Amino acid sequence: MRPVAAPDPQPPRAAPPATPTRAELKSAVELYLALHRAPELSGAEHATATLLADHLTALGLTVHRDLAGTPSFLAELRNGPGPTVLLRTELDALPVTETTGLPYASTVPGAMHACGHDLHAAAATGAAARLTATRAEWRGRLLVLGQSAEETLTGARALADDGLYDRFGRPDAVLAQHAAPLPAGTVAHAAGGPLMAGSRTLDAVLHGRGGHAATPHLAADPLLMAASAVVRLHTLTAREAAPAEGAVLTVGTLHAGSRANVIPDRATLSVGLRAFSDAALDRLHEAVRRVLRAESEAAGAPRPPELTVTARSPVLTPDAALTAALRTVHADHLGAGRVLHAVPSPATEDLTHLTRLADGSRIPLAYWLLGTTPAATWRAATAEGRTVPANHAPDYAPDLRQALPTGITALTTAARHLLADGPHPVGAVPPSPEAHP
């Protein structure tokens, strides 16, 4: 008969509360409202960065500002020896005119936080507040990265090229979340494999020969070339990509001419490519080049077209082991019914530039979706068989009461899972040069 182990006279200390206090949540809500009212576009997020940086400074973090010549910043809290965990939030809004009618709607004409970056920022600072308040319970280094220009897919690459980790050290893990049209109060993790597509943004110039509208035979019309090219380009994913590849091509802009009686001498296109593999992106890229060249030659263009890559992002694939662990952590704290499986999305994200490094190594990335759709809206849309307002739409309005505390808790519990357990009871952390520089 096996002996029965004696009970531990000192049971393991419970994990610190992961949900924000009423005061912390109030502060996060106020921050969100301020950000939502005053959106700033990519690369110009100076007031946004200052507001967030000042908030984190007040919490006791050391903030390094204006990284890579941009409004990006990195806030740091050293709390003894242990792992380094980086929380990433974006800063930029979109050139969208808000139509939500909310009392805290954007006051900036033609700009709106239509992608949820204000929610991400408020959740990240809320998590920083919760972790700061419970710092006696963990050890390590907390980093909060406020990244400029995610919407243009240029901000993370700029930070990587500027040597972010050379200056501040390489984190042991990167955590991020993104607002999504899922039920508010839920999170969704990838079931394995990619969560978001890789992308390329191509700017094209088609050269023509300008002239008078009355003598089109003396000109080479680039607008006609562009119109034909747009139709042909959209057949590439329908007829030259396997359906399972999930490839998407979008011609987002077409500009040519100034008035009806003048044939212009050039037309410009902006083309977006998305796919779940570099090979598929390479094929699409070459196919776009082929179509534009063929249309130019068919129209007798005086010069071949120009095609320039203006932005790119790698496929975003969360670390499988870390994702599995955090799915369990989130289920324990939020409830299993609030942790969903996310399907791969052709949406894009540039964060992989900071996790897939130039030397070929990778930093473990955990990235999940944060539901934002109000319950009543979700139920009505489901019953009527229609979609709900989604990111980038002018009527996109996250359910702040449910989404914000969920986002704070999700980030806090994920970070605590990775940071080392603290050796001291609450309120008994001795002063240390490593803690709170």
Side-chain angles (χ1 to χ4, degrees):
M1 181 175 179
R2 297 180 60 186
V4 178
D8 189 341
Q10 293 183 335
R13 185 160 34 91
T19 55
T21 65
R22 182 174 297 182
E24 289 166 352
L25 186 56
K26 180 176 182 291
S27 178
V29 168
E30 291 172 348
L31 181 62
Y32 171 87
L33 297 178
L35 292 171
H36 193 85
R37 289 189 184 105
E40 295 178 301
L41 300 182
S42 303
E45 313 97 324
H46 302 287
T48 300
T50 297
L51 180 61
L52 291 171
D54 289 349
H55 190 96
L56 291 165
T57 298
L59 290 174
L61 283 76
T62 299
V63 181
H64 310 275
R65 308 184 189 221
D66 301 322
L67 302 178
T70 75
S72 296
F73 66 82
L74 186 72
E76 178 181 26
L77 177 63
R78 294 180 181 270
N79 194 34
T84 295
V85 177
L86 185 149
L87 314 183
R88 196 289 304 261
T89 182
E90 313 93 310
L91 306 178
D92 49 343
L94 285 162
V96 173
T97 298
E98 184 165 354
T99 63
T100 62
L102 292 167
Y104 53 86
S106 169
T107 60
V108 180
M112 174 192 176
H113 269 295
C115 201
H117 293 180
D118 48 353
L119 178 63
H120 304 170
T125 53
R130 186 89 290 263
L131 289 164
T132 301
T134 58
R135 58 186 297 175
E137 302 288 341
W138 59 271
R139 291 180 292 108
R141 187 166 66 123
L142 174 68
L143 301 176
V144 180
L145 174 63
Q147 181 201 314
S148 168
E150 188 279 331
E151 292 292 352
T152 57
L153 301 177
T154 57
R157 181 66 176 269
L159 292 170
D161 290 346
D162 191 56
L164 178 69
Y165 298 150
D166 293 335
R167 292 181 60 188
F168 301 106
R170 172 175 170 165
D172 295 292
V174 174
L175 307 178
Q177 58 188 353
H178 203 294
L182 298 169
T186 66
V187 297
H189 287 276
L195 177 61
M196 293 187 182
S199 70
R200 292 182 197 173
T201 302
L202 312 176
D203 281 359
V205 180
L206 293 168
H207 297 283
R209 204 167 38 249
H212 198 292
T215 55
H217 58 291
L218 301 178
D221 191 345
L223 201 157
L224 185 58
M225 298 178 212
S228 297
V230 168
V231 174
R232 182 70 184 180
L233 287 171
H234 280 101
T235 69
L236 294 178
T237 53
R239 290 296 177 266
E240 297 191 29
E245 286 184 319
V248 179
L249 181 149
T250 303
V251 179
T253 68
L254 192 167
H255 298 286
S258 58
R259 56 190 304 173
N261 65 345
V262 177
I263 295 174
D265 62 359
R266 58 186 276 154
T268 61
L269 304 172
S270 180
V271 184
L273 309 178
R274 300 163 188 261
F276 290 96
S277 72
D278 290 337
L281 286 170
D282 288 342
R283 290 199 310 274
L284 278 177
H285 190 161
E286 185 53 39
V288 170
R289 189 188 311 278
R290 186 189 75 228
V291 167
L292 296 178
R293 185 170 57 241
E295 292 293 348
S296 293
E297 291 178 356
R303 293 168 53 192
E306 301 168 22
L307 191 62
T308 306
V309 178
T310 57
R312 65 173 72 219
S313 62
V315 176
L316 187 143
T317 304
D319 182 84
L322 182 54
T323 295
L326 293 187
R327 181 183 289 113
T328 299
V329 168
H330 287 160
D332 288 343
H333 286 83
L334 298 173
R338 294 170 62 187
V339 180
L340 313 178
H341 288 284
V343 297
S345 167
T348 57
E349 158 71 79
D350 69 348
L351 181 55
T352 304
H353 286 304
L354 293 173
T355 61
R356 195 167 76 179
L357 307 185
D359 62 4
S361 63
R362 300 195 179 197
I363 298 172
L365 167 67
Y367 194 109
W368 59 89
L369 303 181
L370 176 65
T372 59
T373 304
T377 302
W378 185 268
R379 286 195 296 267
T382 301
E384 298 168 14
R386 56 179 173 81
T387 59
V388 299
N391 308 58
H392 292 215
D395 58 346
Y396 179 62
D399 180 350
L400 192 60
R401 290 177 181 273
Q402 292 293 327
L404 183 54
T406 301
I408 293 172
T409 300
L411 281 174
T412 302
T413 55
R416 278 293 292 121
H417 175 76
L418 293 164
L419 293 164
D421 287 333
H424 306 287
V426 175
V429 177
S432 165
E434 285 199 78
H436 194 9

